[in-house]
Amino acid sequence: MTILIPILGDQLSHDLASLTGVDRADAVVLLMEVRDEARYVKHHKKKIALLFSAMRHFAEELREAGWTVDYVPLDAAGNTGSFSGEVGRALARHGASAVRVVEAGEWRVQAMLDGWAAQLGVPVEILPDDRFMCSKADFAEWAAARKRLVMEDFYREMRKRTGLLMSFGKPIGTRWNFDADNRKVPPRGLNTPGVATFEPDAITSEVLALVAAEFPDHFGELEPFRFAVTRAQALLALDHFIAHALPRFGDYQDAIVEGQAHLWHAALSPYINCGLLRAREVVEAAVRAHAEGAAPLNAVEGFVRQIIGWREYIRGIYWHAGPEYAESNALDATRDLPAFYWTAETDMRCIAQSVDQVRHEAYNHHIQRLMILGNFAMLAGVEPAQVEEWYLIVYADAYEWVELPNVHGMSQFADGGLLGSKPYAGGGAYINRMSDHCGRCRYNVKLKTGPEACPFNALYWDFLARHRDLLKDNSRLWRMYDGWDRLGPARQKETRASAAAFLDGLPGGAREWAR
Ligand code: FAD
Ligand code: DLZ
């Protein structure tokens, strides 16, 4: 009896559950490049190239390890363009009588997997994705016992459960969280370590030509392409981060510096999310660096929290909340996403620089995503679905399970506070403190209103005023409302008029880049 083992593009892990406990002689592994996945949103060209190249290299490695691999390239004759179509064709091609697959990362694809048994007429075994450290069932149990799903509570539970940075049941360093030691304002002349980069080999070069030919209308610059595309390369990228960036990871976590895309961030999310790296091995490498005296606790704890805290929590929320999660629009935001999210053509330097960076790198770090691009969209009242689509398109690490809660919940507050306790809103002063954009911007960050003023300033107050009914009882915002009230009616009126004038002049959408 032959078993067909389909492996999806974000499941490129040699120890994937579907590959364990199977006799290689009885199995055919199927990898498929399918147009539906590349087109359900028009992903950044670099993201498609990363996945296709990583999939092709992974297939080679599986073959070398003794597996029979059926690889369907995008331009293969008869490629149906869909996962279900290709699994059906492969069953017939190999006379396979059963399917064994790891659950999908997102609702859309999981619905396909759930339909295969009926559609294809063979037994389909769907296995849990054990690459996550908290199973869906464990998250549901944790959530069921609580009124509020607070990330910090989840994180402490995960520390206890994994034993990471724990000693005799207590957190190493006697504190759970070293955030207070992090987030320093960056000094001038920072010398950052950069990230590990890799020259394209023959397989990648072929993929780059394919992507250039097949997806010319997608967002983003395809070349230069320097991503890791094999596990061995991704491990080198991890080593580079641990040796050169981790020791100062915490210090400037929130800083934004022009020309320094990555600062001391890891830039490992594309590799973790597609399976080249295991989340668990990444945090263990960081903890080891601390144990060996190579990285301080504030950096290592901050990094571990991002992964066993935020990453696992976000995934838990996605599956716990279900597809209805995407439907809420707590702030009734309806504006079209401005065209400059695609073109970078705006005088707001922080936005122009962030968009230009993502166009070239398929990457922005967390604070650019949250406090510049997300913050502006929320203050301007952009429809959450359009913001979500943009984030899913432009980042090499974007998959709906991780993009959606981060955007819909954390960044846009469209879930009304299920995920975050307050909207991540900020004015120009925050951006000026944490970045070097404002000094070179055509707008004046010190001015509060008028055509020369940084638009974030009036938009921030206008946002708070617009949503007062919804937000006024949030104790974390009382100080802000106090500040707004102290402005007095005349300045309030001027501020809101300034915001309205700016919003009236915003360009409309540029839908050709989207779906
Ligand atoms: P580092 O700052 O070095 O952090 C280390 C690791 O922690 C990351 O590689 C990532 O695996 C994990 N991590 C940190 N924060 C989060 C988080 N909030 N959620 C999940 N994992 C986290 N991350 C994605 O992987 N895909 C997305 O599509 C995505 N969309 C985002 C959208 C918005 C609006 C925001 C605010 C955040 C989003 N994030 C997303 C989370 C975070 O910004 C990225 O994981 C991070 O910027 C990746 O770069 P890095 O590897 O250099 O991260
Ligand atoms: C993102 C993506 C793209 C662009 N193309 C493919 C593909 O051709 N084949 C594939 O197996 N996976 C691809 N992916 C990743 C999938 O969209 C991802 O695995 C699903 O979202 C799983 O939930």
Side-chain angles (χ1 to χ4, degrees), residues 83-392:
F83 282 145
S84 301
E86 286 316 290
V87 170
R89 286 203 319 142
L91 280 171
R93 226 171 16 247
H94 301 287
S97 51
V99 171
R100 182 176 158 89
V101 66
V102 168
E103 63 187 346
E106 61 195 63
W107 308 315
R108 178 183 62 87
V109 181
Q110 185 58 37
M112 294 180 207
L113 269 52
D114 290 339
W116 282 353
Q119 187 185 344
L120 304 171
V122 293
V124 176
E125 187 184 8
I126 302 179
L127 303 162
D129 190 344
D130 61 13
R131 296 172 304 166
F132 289 92
M133 287 173 265
C134 180
S135 69
K136 290 179 191 171
D138 284 350
F139 189 90
E141 196 182 313
W142 175 81
R146 283 169 168 75
K147 260 205 191 120
R148 297 231 45 227
L149 305 182
V150 178
M151 199 299 284
E152 187 65 28
D153 299 344
F154 173 80
Y155 166 59
R156 291 180 189 189
E157 189 71 30
M158 287 297 287
R159 287 272 296 276
K160 289 182 204 154
R161 221 191 277 175
T162 59
L164 289 162
L165 293 178
M166 298 293 287
S167 174
F168 299 104
K170 299 264 185 264
I172 287 182
T174 70
R175 274 156 60 192
W176 291 102
N177 184 318
F178 287 79
D179 247 3
D181 302 354
N182 294 347
R183 307 194 169 157
K184 298 187 175 67
V185 173
R188 284 183 190 282
L190 284 174
N191 197 9
T192 61
V195 296
T197 57
F198 303 89
E199 288 302 312
D201 63 4
I203 293 180
T204 301
S205 299
E206 207 171 288
V207 164
L208 292 176
L210 177 77
V211 173
E214 295 290 337
F215 306 104
D217 58 334
H218 284 221
F219 176 77
E221 300 298 327
L222 180 58
E223 299 195 60
F225 181 92
R226 301 279 183 264
F227 281 105
V229 291
T230 63
R231 174 161 167 78
Q233 290 178 339
L235 284 169
L236 289 175
L238 171 61
D239 289 349
H240 177 93
F241 167 69
I242 298 288
H244 303 293
L246 177 66
R248 300 186 79 184
F249 173 81
D251 291 351
Y252 304 114
Q253 217 175 317
D254 285 8
I256 302 169
V257 180
E258 289 192 9
Q260 308 271 359
H262 303 98
L263 292 161
W264 284 272
H265 291 274
L268 294 175
S269 48
Y271 311 140
I272 304 173
N273 293 353
C274 78
L276 294 182
L277 293 177
R278 274 237 177 200
R280 176 99 203 191
E281 74 187 334
V282 170
V283 285
E284 282 173 353
V287 169
R288 222 170 21 250
H290 175 253
E292 291 164 0
L297 189 54
N298 72 308
V300 174
E301 186 282 314
F303 184 71
V304 167
R305 176 153 30 91
Q306 301 310 309
I307 295 189
I308 72 167
W310 277 110
R311 186 173 187 272
E312 295 284 334
Y313 169 79
I314 287 285
R315 192 250 185 176
I317 292 277
Y318 177 83
W319 286 101
H320 182 67
E324 314 80 62
Y325 183 69
E327 285 161 23
S328 54
N329 187 353
L331 301 177
D332 291 327
T334 54
R335 183 179 301 281
D336 277 343
L337 186 75
F340 54 67
Y341 273 77
W342 306 106
T343 63
E345 286 166 13
T346 167
D347 286 343
M348 288 178 284
R349 191 166 173 98
C350 54
I351 294 193
Q353 292 272 318
S354 301
V355 172
D356 193 54
Q357 184 189 311
V358 75
R359 194 160 62 191
H360 287 94
E361 309 273 353
Y363 175 86
N364 289 130
H365 72 60
H366 189 71
I367 295 302
Q368 293 171 301
R369 298 187 202 202
L370 186 64
M371 295 310 295
I372 293 190
L373 298 161
N375 182 22
F376 182 86
M378 181 176 68
L379 298 184
V382 179
E383 186 189 11
Q386 292 190 40
V387 186
E388 286 145 27
E389 185 182 51
W390 183 84
Y391 275 89
L392 195 53

